[in-house]
Amino acid sequence: GNTGTSLSFTATGYDAQNNVVSNAIIGFVSRNPAIATVPNLGSGTVNLVAVRGETWIVAQSLTGLRDSAHVRV
């Protein structure tokens, strides 16, 4: 099973001119913690806690911009 498996996510912030923002603070959360958890919001590490299911991992900046990735286990 997948229980106990860890995944790593990264996110990069960009400004309005599409330049990388090197000091962007981005946090990660799971939309369904019964499937996957993010033990440290700033780490990008996701722990799978279920054998089957799906969730979205959301990366969000301090300014509220966000994007997400779909995870199916």
Side-chain angles (χ1 to χ4, degrees), residues 31-53:
R31 299 280 313 260
N32 187 349
I35 302 299
T37 61
V38 180
N40 179 342
L41 298 180
S43 73
T45 299
V46 175
N47 296 325
L48 303 179
V49 294
V51 175
R52 292 217 182 273

Side-chain angles (χ1 to χ4, degrees), residues 7-69:
L7 305 173
S8 293
F9 287 81
T10 59
T12 303
Y14 293 89
D15 65 16
Q17 289 74 41
N18 208 31
N19 298 309
V20 172
V21 178
S22 60
N23 60 347
I25 298 172
I26 300 172
F28 295 85
V29 296
S30 172
R31 299 280 313 260
N32 187 349
I35 302 299
T37 61
V38 180
N40 179 342
L41 298 180
S43 73
T45 299
V46 175
N47 296 325
L48 303 179
V49 294
V51 175
R52 292 217 182 273
E54 54 191 86
T55 188
W56 289 90
I57 303 301
V58 180
Q60 182 170 333
S61 72
L62 289 177
T63 60
L65 298 173
R66 69 182 115 194
D67 203 350
S68 56

